[in-house]
Amino acid sequence: MPPLLEINNISVSYGPVKALEEVSLEIREGEVVALLGANGAGKTSLLNAISRLVPVSGGGIKYCNRDLTGVRADKVVRKGIAQCPEGRMIFPDLTVMENLHLGAYIVRDEADFKQNLEHAFNYFPVLSDRRNQKGGTLSGGEQQMLALARALMSSPRLLMLDEPSLGLAPKIIQQIFQIITRINREDNVTIFLVEQNANEALLHSNRGYVIENGRITMSGSSADLRKDPRIIEAYLGGS
């Protein structure tokens, strides 16, 4: 079987600045794949390239063995890819329900919407209790839950998460990663996880890649990467 997602030698530039340079990786159905890297390494640029929010030069992107490179961003969501952005990016002046409705904009059948909503509330019961509350009044952890639930409302086959633990307390981080694991295992949703919290990312993934200065520099099983002295020194607080 071909990979669910295949990236072949893509580059992304912002004016004269190269954010990605000939990046290649693949993600197979049912995996959780982590992408590690420092700030400015190119992690978000890669997710945005997959979502077709930024143009790529050279190479190509395949999803379900079909070219995604020229597809519009709205069509990417319809094909089964959802991105949960860094910093949550919820709509603070809209209620929880209104935010979730926006996540389900491609869902036309009312029964499917209700099923997706029930599914999201099953993962995040606190959102059900706060359904009429404005997103901006939620705690940081609740806002991250809302961002995840909003992404799930489109029934994605591939869920891309950009720094889901950013700015959260350790207890909430544990809850978020437990839910991410459940989404992968119970719903068979493939997950591409971008994280600076390398320890949690490698504990909750099957494989990982490391990106530095816009290039993939390492890859392997998450278990092997956790034991690699370079990863320990650079990302796990070793010496």
Side-chain angles (χ1 to χ4, degrees):
M1 292 289 291
L4 180 65
L5 181 73
E6 188 175 5
I7 311 293
N8 291 308
N9 296 315
I10 67 166
S11 298
V12 169
S13 297
Y14 302 106
V17 179
K18 274 200 170 182
L20 299 176
E21 192 165 0
E22 297 183 349
V23 167
S24 296
L25 59 80
E26 64 178 39
I27 300 174
R28 297 195 171 272
E29 185 97 44
E31 285 189 307
V32 179
V33 175
L35 179 67
L36 309 181
N39 278 333
K43 303 186 302 296
T44 297
S45 291
L46 179 55
L47 294 192
N48 287 342
I50 296 166
S51 292
R52 307 306 306 120
L53 298 174
V54 296
V56 301
S57 57
I61 303 170
K62 283 187 175 182
Y63 174 70
C64 295
N65 208 32
R66 294 185 177 181
D67 182 48
L68 200 67
T69 313
V71 175
R72 294 200 322 257
D74 61 306
K75 299 288 187 182
V76 170
V77 180
R78 296 181 189 279
K79 289 180 180 294
I81 300 176
Q83 181 174 343
C84 186
E86 180 182 1
R88 277 92 80 181
M89 300 294 288
I90 63 163
F91 295 92
D93 293 328
L94 300 183
T95 66
V96 166
M97 279 297 296
E98 288 168 336
N99 271 274
L100 295 177
H101 269 283
L102 288 173
Y105 78 95
I106 66 168
V107 180
R108 299 302 181 196
D109 187 86
E110 184 67 20
D112 289 341
F113 172 81
K114 289 180 178 179
Q115 184 177 23
N116 289 358
L117 184 65
E118 182 180 350
H119 201 53
F121 285 159
N122 178 53
Y123 282 123
F124 307 105
V126 67
L127 297 182
S128 179
D129 298 335
R130 292 172 175 35
R131 63 178 67 199
N132 296 317
Q133 190 171 325
K134 286 190 175 181
T137 67
L138 301 176
S139 69
E142 290 166 350
Q143 288 186 20
Q144 184 61 65
M145 293 176 187
L146 177 55
L148 270 166
R150 182 180 60 187
L152 290 176
M153 289 298 292
S154 63
S155 301
R157 187 173 174 184
L158 172 64
L159 177 61
M160 303 194 300
L161 305 176
D162 197 351
E163 305 285 4
S165 75
L166 185 66
L168 301 182
K171 183 178 179 181
I172 302 299
I173 290 173
Q174 290 296 318
Q175 292 178 10
I176 292 294
F177 275 99
Q178 287 170 6
I179 291 168
I180 290 170
T181 299
R182 284 183 58 201
I183 292 169
N184 170 249
R185 293 179 179 174
E186 296 177 15
D187 297 338
N188 195 35
V189 174
T190 304
I191 294 176
F192 191 21
L193 173 64
V194 166
E195 255 299 340
Q196 285 196 60
N197 189 332
N199 188 55
E200 291 294 339
L202 294 176
L203 279 173
H204 293 88
S205 59
N206 307 110
R207 294 189 300 111
Y209 291 87
V210 177
I211 188 168
E212 298 175 343
N213 298 317
R215 290 180 173 270
I216 299 294
T217 57
M218 295 179 65
S219 64
S221 74
S222 297
D224 287 343
L225 290 174
R226 289 186 73 230
K227 295 182 290 187
D228 191 295
R230 295 167 293 177
I231 297 294
I232 293 171
E233 181 177 1
Y235 299 103
L236 300 179
S239 59

